[in-house]
Amino acid sequence: MGQVDRRRFLRLSWAGAAAAGAGGLAGILASGRAPAAGQEQTVHWVRWSDFVPASDQLLKGKLTEECKKATGIKLRLETINANDIQARVTSAIQAQTGPDVIMSLGNWVQLYATSLADVSDVAEEIGKAQGGYYNVSKMVGIYKGKWVGVPWAIVGGLVAYRKSWFAEVGYDKFPTSWEQWHDAGKKLKAKGRPIGQTLGHTFGDAPGFWYAWLWSFGGKEVEADGKTVALNSKETLESVKFATRFWTDCCDPGGLAWDDTSNNRAFLSGTIAATANGASIYLEARKKPDTYQTEKGAPMKDDIQHAPLGTGAGGHFNLPIPFTDMVMGYSKNQKAAKEFLRWVHSKPVFEEWFTSQQGYTDGATKDWEKDPVWKVDPVLEPFKNLPEAGRLAGYAGPPNQKAAEVVTKYIIVDMYAKAVQGMKPEDAVAWATAECKKVYGA
Amino acid sequence: MIEGARWRRWVFFYLPLTAFVVSLLFPFYWMIVTAVRPDNELYRPWNAPNYAPFWTLHPTLEHVRDLLNDTLFGTWMLNTMLISLAATAISLFCGLLAGYALARLKFPFAGSIGTGIFITYLVPQTLLFIPLSDIIRNFHLGDSPWALILTYPTFLIPFCTWLMMGYFKSIPKELEECARIDGAPRWKAMLYIIFPVAIPGILSAGIFAFTLSWNEFIYALVFLSSPEQKTVPVGVTSELVRGDVFYWGELMAGALLGSIPVAFVYSFFVEYYVSGITGSVKG
Amino acid sequence: MALLSDASSGIAAGTARRGPITRLLEDERRLGIALLAPTVILLVLFIAYPFVKGVELAVTDTRVGVPGPYVGLDNFVHVWQDGIFRVAVWNTCLYTLVTTIFKTILGLWLALLLNRSFRGKAFMRAFILLPFIIPTVLSTFAWKWMFDPTFSVINWVILHLGLMSAKLVALTVSAVVNFPHFSQIAIDADLAPLFGSGRINWLGDPTLAMIAVIIVNVWRGVPFYAISLLAGLQTISPELHEAAAIDGAGPWQRFRHVTWPLLLPVTMVIVLFSVIQTFADFQLVYVLTGGGPANATQLFATYAYQIGIGTGLLSQGATISLAVFPVLLFVVIVQLLYIRRVETT
């Protein structure tokens, strides 16, 4: 958008806003536009600022135009920082006015379920047409038997690692069990190349790693009844003890302060050997091969590989983040919103967006595992079927508001953070259990 | 002046002053360097051999350019400027009248109203912003600058009132008495005689209010939705922190450019600001 | 005075009759209320009313979009039992106390320095205010970058200063001992390993994180204190200082007996406003540490936001915000009483 367009737009929107208070005809006169024949349908969509900027550009540009042509709906897409989405949703619901469709991350849908419109018709249609939804999408999208959001996509995390460095310490194949991780990490840290993982209060990477860690040792937050806190177990204690060893011997101590972006930065500047993350690290290195180089001067992208998180005594899991589009209950454009969602999920349209993501996300339905985008770059192929091994916070109970509270209070993450900083593992587990009990009311 | 040997001057004056100036202004130097540093230098860890934190040999304006082209930075500046000026005007108007009333007039409940105004300053914004959404909705102010223009004065007025009160208290009553003896009505005395004398106080309250409005974050985050309506603090943090990646160059450029108007205003008025507070303090 | 009487007679000449409005404006009581009206209306509308609504939230069990039943003081009991809440309150009090002490001392010191005349004084005064002028969110980002464990310029400076001083010491010793080879060794030695990795984990270590947050707040606040106290200093007439000097008082005694007592009223008011603002501080911690690591820097405002918005538990968020109100009120009353006492002596 050029400078001139923006100024004109600004003037029009100011005039429009002022005139809106002054009344219909006056308003039209003031803004200098002829009234549109009939009402133009607008859908205001709020999403996060995508980790892959190209996708946002596609949505705001080409797809907005195509939407207008195909459905007559004017799409107004607004992207904001993921951390700020909840504040907007809250004030919108309280004020009963705001965007028509808001994208939710993880189990936020469940928090606002009673304020959302029923979109079962759209969701079921898409699910049937595209191979069925993954379990995790269903778990967050369905409330009391009805769909309250249309699943959009799923982001998963894998471990991005430096192939050459791991080979140097004897691991041509990336370690699979946590013991192997510990062995490799110890050797790497001795060379000044520790593993990097966040233990800070950040919504993406911290729960993503540490919940998976807990589950892989067989621990869990709550029983399947969703009420009995099951954190205080042998498995959990074992996971905390191992975490302490792992952290001290293998990890970058700065991780306690890291947010979701710090591990990206650390990896790209060559200070850590491996970190669990989405595909954004590799994508960034690939985008700017001259900026991000190895210590030997070669482009770093050639040295990056992805591998799954470690396997423990309890198995192997990950914590994916499902994205769901919520149609807000207060919206006056619900019909248009649903039509829009139907259109945007149609194969050719969604395909365009999916391709622009270059493998950063998985589709919410299983058909997208076969999409050609996965053939483009073998480094990203491991991401394609992550949601299969996915579990959500609140396991073994449902991913409901109580589970969300545990996540927001970072109880699980802090359990490990405290142990790593010197608290006795038994005390850390006891603290976390007590906090969970307060949340679950048991 | 510090009397005595030159070394005393150095130790007790120049050295501490320099230390203060360096520590207060170093982050700005840092921001300038970061804003013009090319990307490949930005991501060099601090213990890398060629880490040169204090300068860069390849300054570039690409971050500034990206900031102005790829984001609605210009629009945000305009919004913030308009909102801050309007909120300041309202707060000054209210603070002026209220300060005069509380300082010079006797009327029932004067004490309690004064205390009441002060107590409102204690209510934290984190409590208010949810209920305020309701009110904003009822008045149809959502997503418009008026939501901010009307809510900012809530934390600006108490301070402006206090400042003006102090100022007015320091003006001798004789000034007003003279005018009234000559037959002028009270309000004209107020308008034409008292207020002009308080101009430094008004300016300093205005500058302070302007700064606080410019700075505000929570309300702007919650009450505004469209990118075209955002203010600089909200716009810069929401558009330039894209998930995983912080665009440090653009962030710092935005931070610097976002402070310039206020710094500009201050450079003109800092003397008034100081003398304004001086005057109010005397009372 | 001549000018004044001209002005006032000019004004008087313009008012012949006194209508009802004029009578209203003339009456001290009615004028007072009229003048206060705009302020009162605004504040009632946008603070008093929402405050009442906020209290309503705190005594019900409301979630986002789900109005809830009245539960009395249950929320407060629940919040008080919350370990994180207690940590947040403690942190807030500690944070406010330490930053206020530092801001007062450093602000006063800077004000005293700026009170002297020197070249570039006006220039200096304007520049000094920059940390206060720049939007908090943005300057905090700059500090976040400066504290970043991987990229911190502060760590770099400390490490190099450490190295430099070590080398300086080594060189001095070699000069004294007069052992030529030793001086050469001192210059060449790689002393870096002695300083470990130099990695100061600013935002990752709980104590350091609190220190970092305090540093940024003090950095922001010192200019405001300094300029305001400077204004106060300028009201102290220099004759008082001269008189004291003639009586033989040294600079420190002059400060203690002349400057400080006269400055106290202003200082207390500035401190009062600053304490209120710092107590409710949100942006700084939100951006710098998000309340971490493990709640080491969690303040009550950030915790209220995290709970209310992150979990949609509006009632709990409101309760947290309200629960601290009495503490703040207590602190404010104590200070107000102190100010009144100082002013009347």
Side-chain angles (χ1 to χ4, degrees), chain A residues 48-57 79-81 259-262 264-265 268 280-281 283-285 287-288 291-292 358, chain B residues 30-31 33-40 42-43 62-68 70-71 73 76 235-256, chain C residues 137-138 141-142 144-145 148 151:
Chain A
W48 71 340
S49 293
D50 205 313
F51 283 28
V52 182
S55 298
D56 276 346
Q57 283 164 4
T79 52
I80 61 179
N81 196 341
D259 60 17
D260 276 338
T261 69
S262 315
N264 293 52
R265 282 203 296 282
L268 288 171
S280 42
I281 294 182
L283 287 174
E284 179 76 6
K287 193 165 89 169
K288 302 183 183 161
T291 311
Y292 303 110
Q358 301 166 61
Chain B
W30 179 246
M31 283 161 62
V33 171
T34 308
V36 298
R37 204 190 271 273
D39 261 338
N40 54 0
L42 268 179
Y43 295 104
E62 71 185 12
H63 297 305
V64 181
R65 198 192 54 220
D66 286 343
L67 180 73
L68 295 175
D70 296 342
T71 66
F73 191 74
W76 300 333
V236 167
T237 50
S238 62
E239 304 269 320
L240 292 175
V241 177
R242 217 159 267 145
D244 261 337
V245 184
F246 278 54
Y247 291 91
W248 286 109
E250 285 84 342
L251 262 176
M252 296 295 110
L256 285 171
Chain C
V137 178
L138 301 177
F141 269 120
K144 200 174 157 92
W145 186 235
D148 187 296
F151 301 100

Side-chain angles (χ1 to χ4, degrees), chain B residues 45-57:
Chain B
W46 66 278
N47 45 6
N50 54 355
Y51 183 71
F54 300 117
W55 62 84
T56 169
L57 295 171

Side-chain angles (χ1 to χ4, degrees), chain C residues 259-344:
Chain C
T259 316
W260 180 242
L262 288 173
L263 206 51
L264 201 54
V266 177
T267 314
M268 289 314 297
V269 178
I270 302 280
V271 164
L272 183 65
F273 273 99
S274 166
V275 161
I276 297 173
Q277 256 193 319
T278 310
F279 210 76
D281 207 358
F282 173 77
Q283 292 181 41
L284 211 151
V285 170
Y286 182 65
V287 171
L288 203 60
T289 60
N295 295 317
T297 56
Q298 188 80 274
L299 302 182
F300 90 84
T302 49
Y303 190 51
Y305 186 82
Q306 195 177 302
I307 291 292
I309 295 295
T311 331
L313 291 171
L314 295 178
S315 286
Q316 277 206 32
T319 312
I320 294 171
S321 295
L322 266 182
V324 218
F325 195 66
V327 180
L328 187 59
L329 204 58
F330 175 71
V331 169
V332 163
I333 290 178
V334 165
Q335 287 192 287
L336 277 175
L337 288 174
Y338 187 66
I339 291 178
R340 192 143 306 159
R341 216 189 55 164
V342 164
E343 270 180 354
T344 49

Side-chain angles (χ1 to χ4, degrees), chain A residues 296-373:
Chain A
K296 303 195 183 76
M300 198 187 279
K301 66 178 176 73
D302 297 325
D303 195 31
I304 302 180
Q305 292 286 318
H306 295 109
L309 291 175
T311 311
H316 161 253
F317 303 99
N318 63 62
L319 175 68
I321 302 182
F323 294 160
T324 320
D325 282 313
M326 316 184 288
V327 176
M328 309 308 292
Y330 57 70
S331 162
K332 310 237 180 350
N333 297 322
Q334 287 183 28
K335 199 157 154 301
K338 285 202 210 171
E339 220 188 290
F340 163 71
L341 285 172
R342 225 178 241 122
W343 172 81
V344 83
H345 274 282
S346 59
K347 267 210 97 164
V349 181
F350 193 76
E351 168 106 52
E352 264 192 88
W353 180 84
F354 195 69
T355 313
S356 76
Q357 285 275 291
Q358 301 166 61
Y360 182 70
T361 44
D362 299 308
T365 45
K366 305 194 180 156
D367 272 0
W368 298 100
E369 280 181 37
K370 311 186 200 106
D371 191 275
V373 76

